[in-house]
Amino acid sequence: MTDPAGLHFAHARAPGKINLFLKVGQLQDDGYHELATAFQAVSLYEEVRAYPADDFSVSFTGTVDTTGLSTDGSNLAIKAARLLARKTGYTGGVRLEVEKNVPIAGGMGGGSADAAATLVACDALWGTEASRDELVAMAAKLGADVPFALTGGTAIGTGRGDQLSPALAKGRFHWVLALAEFGMSTPDVYTALDRHREKHAQDIFPASLQPTVDADVLQALRAGDPRQLAEALRNDLQAPALGLAPGLGSILELGERVGALAGIVSGSGPTLAFLVPDADSALELQVELSASGLHALRVTGPVHGARLVQEW
């Protein structure tokens, strides 16, 4: 593609996600947990534009504060571009411009969406013609949430959350997001969960080694029934996230009091996702939350995963 200035470039977008269900298995010897999760990609997107360059660089704009993001080789978008170049034998570089709209460290997989969109944009820019399966394999090397950002829709994740199988979801679900002005460290939330389980080992049922997604989640998705889904939402990381950021609990209570069918911490937080019956209810809840001084957005799901944007 060519932009108005005549520069060859490629533009791809990838969605953020909500964990409708997240069951965390026992802490294993390698320090990780087996997961059983249901993801839904929602209509809040990261936009990545890729331009030819001799080396690799990334810059950020967008609706969220990006001042704390790294722009060196540790950035996931740079890692994605370099991995694609290495796997395909491409010898040039790329200049990435990322427009971020998914909250940073917000439990919605924004960095993973950057990586997925970068794979798609660079593959188009460089003409490397990687297959979808090859891109998914590369995505899995970059992080547990990156394959889902590439595929989108609604899916069940097992293993570390990166072993995906599609889940049939009928219709469209309406969500209102309450965005926090701070991020949360995923490792810190998992550590808090492990400590809680260890402290209360005598009082709580032990976590499964290989957890599974509850059948009522899958039934609600197949039925396209938001009320049924509201009853099935679950996140094992919610309690530790609320322990680390107690103010989130009052926002959950507020959302459910003023119209949400249910609210849930998305992933490791701190973003809160409220499920509502329809578009009108979403607008009403957004207005209520905004009147309380919260940054609230309406989104829908499921949506497609990372794809090339054919604008020109």
Side-chain angles (χ1 to χ4, degrees):
M1 292 185 284
T2 303
D3 77 357
L7 295 174
H8 184 67
F9 80 109
H11 172 197
R13 69 162 52 113
K17 56 85 180 170
I18 294 171
N19 292 80
L20 315 174
F21 181 94
L22 178 57
K23 191 183 289 185
V24 180
Q26 291 180 23
L27 178 65
Q28 302 198 8
D29 292 341
D30 60 4
Y32 287 90
H33 306 75
E34 291 284 306
L35 304 177
T37 186
F39 298 107
Q40 186 161 93
V42 295
S43 57
L44 186 62
Y45 297 96
E46 303 283 82
E47 310 279 348
V48 174
R49 291 171 174 84
Y51 298 84
D54 295 327
D55 56 4
F56 293 84
S57 65
V58 64
S59 60
F60 295 97
T61 58
T63 59
V64 297
D65 182 5
T66 62
T67 52
L69 289 178
S70 65
T71 56
D72 58 15
S74 66
N75 184 273
L76 201 55
I78 294 287
K79 288 182 177 181
R82 285 182 167 157
L83 178 61
L84 178 66
R86 189 163 65 249
K87 291 289 187 181
T88 59
Y90 183 75
T91 57
V94 68
R95 175 170 61 87
L96 300 170
E97 295 181 357
V98 180
E99 178 189 326
K100 290 195 68 67
N101 300 297
V102 178
I104 297 167
M108 291 190 66
S112 298
D114 293 345
T118 295
L119 289 173
V120 172
C122 288
D123 185 54
L125 178 70
W126 298 338
T128 43
E129 297 183 342
S131 70
R132 201 68 177 178
D133 286 346
E134 289 171 330
L135 291 176
V136 170
M138 285 182 243
K141 293 180 180 298
L142 293 164
D145 285 345
V146 184
F148 180 69
L150 198 60
T151 58
T154 305
I156 302 305
T158 53
R160 302 280 160 80
D162 58 346
Q163 298 171 20
L164 299 178
S165 57
L168 180 63
K170 180 182 177 182
R172 177 169 295 182
F173 292 90
H174 295 267
W175 302 87
V176 176
L177 306 178
L179 308 184
E181 294 181 353
F182 59 93
M184 294 184 75
S185 161
T186 298
D188 287 352
V189 179
Y190 273 97
T191 298
L193 174 64
D194 293 332
R195 287 175 177 165
H196 175 80
R197 286 176 169 177
E198 184 178 359
K199 181 179 179 181
H200 299 282
Q202 302 299 318
D203 307 314
I204 59 177
F205 197 75
S208 170
L209 275 173
Q210 292 187 310
T212 57
V213 173
D214 292 352
D216 53 356
V217 178
L218 303 178
Q219 292 168 359
L221 290 169
R222 283 196 298 268
D225 186 340
R227 288 177 172 81
Q228 190 178 346
L229 182 61
E231 295 294 323
L233 297 179
R234 168 176 172 162
N235 182 2
D236 283 357
L237 296 180
Q238 179 159 308
L242 295 180
L244 294 170
L248 297 177
S250 60
I251 301 172
L252 278 173
E253 292 172 3
L254 171 64
E256 293 179 351
R257 191 168 65 247
V258 296
L261 297 173
I264 192 169
V265 173
S266 180
S268 56
T271 301
L272 304 179
F274 294 98
L275 181 60
V276 294
D278 51 38
D280 289 342
S281 302
L283 178 58
E284 291 170 5
L285 180 57
Q286 181 189 28
V287 170
E288 290 280 0
L289 293 177
S290 298
S292 299
L294 299 169
H295 184 190
L297 294 175
R298 287 171 289 145
V299 297
T300 59
V303 298
H304 292 290
R307 55 178 43 200
L308 202 61
V309 177
Q310 300 287 349
E311 289 187 327
W312 294 278

